Amino acid sequence: MFWRRKERETVVIEKDVDQRTLTEIFGEDNLYEGTLIQLMACKQAKYPNKTFYESDFTKELAQRGLFKNKPQIILPITPTNSLFTPISFAQYIGQKKAKQILTSYITATQNRQKIFPHLLIHGRPGMGKTSLANIVASSLSKNLTQHIASSITERGQLQNIINELNGNILFIDEVHALPRIMIEPIYQMMEQFEVNGNKIMPFTIIGATTEIGEIIKDRKPFYDRFKIIIELEDYTINDLKKIGEQYKNQVFPNDVIDTKIYGVIARNSRSIPRTVIRLLDATIYLDGKIDTVLSNFGIVKNGYTEKDVKLLKYLSQQTAVGLQGIAAFLDTSLKTYLYEIEPHLFKNEIVIRTPRGRAISPKGIQLLKQLER
């Protein structure tokens, strides 16, 4: 049995609910959304340690004759063992600077009865960008409509989405992936709140990105229309421990684990809350066997993985290697390398950029010796 929260109502969705019942619960206009939630809930129950995305269900939805032609309203799926998501700034641990900026703007705009400015949040995957967007919308008592940039494929589609907002908030994940041809027509909508001379209800766009440089370089006019720019900072070990403990107490209140485990998980999370939750889930299900969990995830020490060791060994034997060569050697995609493997190595100055490609640093050579012991 799964729970779907809609405004102040709570609707129960059974695991094997049929399409007719989904239509009765969500209505025909929201059948795509309702079916997606049901499919995700069933998968989450079967594979509690995995994270699922809308794109994982596109084919099955199409087979049911359902296509994404309407905005997707964010409605958290919260089965009893689901991912806990903070719903207020008080629950959101870390990011003190970001929270101060956002709460100041929220208070100021509400006092003046002004629309909340367009907001751009950038940071690595799993850092809490979507959670912040949800909290902003909740604090403003606005509905939040979510789209992944890659799902916006037709010219004029973005204008239609904005027209249906009715003064609420549009959240675009991976907003840097929006082609320029898609966003140029909405510049006037973002600044003047009008289309072809006709006024529309003022609205807010919240964009999330892992590649802010790409927006600045290729879509500077779009970037300039965001009045608030938030860069998410690295989480401290203490913050990560609190996130793990908060999540455990909310989702697994009856399980007992050694409190030292929170520190072990925090040090091996690469400063990413999503990884903290993934490792903690696995630890609970493996009865607190943290060494087994780290081994299962290929983690050697302090978040460095077996794949990192493999890469550092390879780089130590080369002058420099190009990105395609690295991806081929690791037998992974270029995007996986750039977004999941490389950021941690760059941040800690283990791997460096050179004119000829990536190279291991002196610090990286020392680390490799430690990890090989």
Side-chain angles (χ1 to χ4, degrees):
M1 184 176 292
F2 301 93
W3 300 90
R4 179 229 192 209
R5 190 175 66 197
K6 181 180 180 183
E7 295 176 354
R8 296 190 178 180
E9 292 181 51
T10 299
V11 181
V12 178
I13 302 180
E14 299 289 344
K15 239 166 94 174
D16 301 317
V17 65
D18 58 29
Q19 204 79 351
R20 180 179 177 181
T21 305
L22 283 172
T23 305
E24 292 175 355
I25 295 173
F26 292 91
E28 290 187 3
D29 288 345
N30 295 313
L31 186 55
Y32 176 98
E33 166 206 324
T35 306
L36 175 62
I37 288 175
Q38 189 253 347
L39 292 173
M40 291 182 74
C42 291
K43 281 286 187 182
Q44 194 74 58
K46 190 174 182 180
Y47 304 102
N49 294 331
K50 290 189 67 176
T51 301
F52 295 98
Y53 301 93
E54 181 177 357
S55 56
D56 297 327
F57 304 94
T58 304
K59 184 176 180 180
E60 187 168 352
L61 287 162
Q63 289 173 345
R64 298 189 185 198
L66 298 172
F67 301 91
K68 186 166 187 173
N69 53 16
K70 290 183 177 291
Q72 173 199 348
I73 306 300
I74 294 181
L75 296 166
I77 303 168
T78 53
T80 54
N81 65 340
S82 72
L83 184 67
F84 168 72
T85 302
I87 58 175
S88 68
F89 287 115
Q91 289 184 343
Y92 190 102
I93 296 169
Q95 303 301 336
K96 182 178 179 181
K97 182 178 178 181
K99 291 191 292 187
Q100 286 177 340
I101 293 170
L102 293 173
T103 52
S104 295
Y105 270 94
I106 288 169
T107 301
T109 54
Q110 287 180 328
N111 288 343
R112 293 165 177 80
Q113 296 185 331
K114 297 289 186 181
I115 190 70
F116 189 81
H118 302 303
L119 164 65
L120 184 62
I121 308 172
H122 65 104
R124 290 177 292 153
M127 292 284 281
K129 298 183 290 294
T130 303
S131 294
L132 272 182
N134 272 289
I135 292 169
V136 168
S138 177
S139 300
L140 294 166
S141 299
K142 296 284 187 178
N143 291 330
L144 185 73
T145 299
Q146 178 181 13
H147 280 274
I148 299 173
S150 58
S151 71
I152 301 173
T153 57
E154 298 177 8
R155 186 178 176 88
Q157 186 179 354
L158 197 51
Q159 297 98 300
N160 293 335
I161 292 170
I162 291 172
N163 280 333
E164 295 181 3
L165 285 177
N166 294 320
N168 287 295
I169 298 176
L170 170 62
F171 175 64
I172 306 177
D173 199 8
E174 298 301 324
V175 68
H176 60 269
L178 278 177
R180 187 183 302 170
I181 193 172
M182 301 292 178
I183 57 178
E184 286 178 345
I186 70 164
Y187 291 161
Q188 190 175 17
M189 298 176 76
M190 292 179 70
E191 282 193 330
Q192 305 298 328
F193 301 119
E194 62 179 45
V195 182
N196 300 323
N198 298 316
K199 288 290 183 181
I200 61 173
M201 289 184 68
F203 62 93
T204 299
I205 291 180
I206 300 179
T209 180
T210 55
E211 294 289 336
I212 194 168
E214 191 173 326
I215 301 175
I216 296 172
K217 178 183 176 182
D218 297 329
R219 303 161 187 83
K220 188 63 163 57
F222 184 50
Y223 172 83
D224 288 340
R225 283 163 172 79
F226 289 95
K227 302 306 180 185
I228 311 173
I229 310 293
I230 297 290
E231 178 181 7
L232 298 186
E233 303 171 334
D234 282 341
Y235 289 81
T236 66
I237 293 296
N238 193 44
D239 284 341
L240 295 164
K241 288 165 64 175
K242 288 180 180 178
I243 288 170
E245 190 170 2
Q246 179 193 58
Y247 173 76
K248 183 265 171 194
N249 291 338
Q250 288 284 340
V251 181
F252 302 101
N254 298 322
D255 286 273
V256 178
I257 63 173
D258 188 335
T259 55
K260 293 179 181 178
I261 286 175
Y262 297 121
V264 176
I265 288 175
R267 289 190 293 274
N268 284 282
S269 68
R270 297 190 182 226
S271 297
I272 298 174
R274 187 181 294 163
T275 303
V276 169
I277 289 170
R278 184 182 299 125
L279 294 176
L280 187 54
D281 269 340
T283 303
I284 294 291
Y285 292 128
L286 291 178
D287 299 320
K289 298 173 183 176
I290 185 62
D291 290 340
T292 302
V293 170
L294 296 179
S295 176
N296 288 348
F297 281 91
I299 298 173
V300 180
K301 182 181 180 181
N302 293 336
Y304 293 105
T305 66
E306 294 169 357
K307 193 159 284 191
D308 294 331
V309 175
K310 181 180 178 180
L311 172 62
L312 294 179
K313 281 183 181 178
Y314 179 57
L315 292 178
S316 69
Q317 299 165 1
Q318 314 288 329
T319 304
V321 183
L323 289 173
Q324 295 292 348
I326 289 175
F329 175 75
L330 295 177
D331 192 25
T332 191
S333 70
L334 182 57
K335 284 189 175 181
T336 297
Y337 173 72
L338 288 173
Y339 292 125
E340 293 188 14
I341 301 174
E342 186 173 81
H344 188 63
L345 300 175
F346 269 164
K347 184 186 74 170
N348 292 295
E349 301 176 338
I350 304 302
V351 171
I352 57 175
R353 292 184 179 92
T354 75
R356 297 182 60 186
R358 298 324 194 235
I360 189 171
S361 69
K363 188 176 178 181
I365 293 173
Q366 292 299 316
L367 175 66
L368 179 58
K369 292 177 181 178
Q370 295 174 18
L371 296 177
E372 286 184 316
R373 289 174 186 169

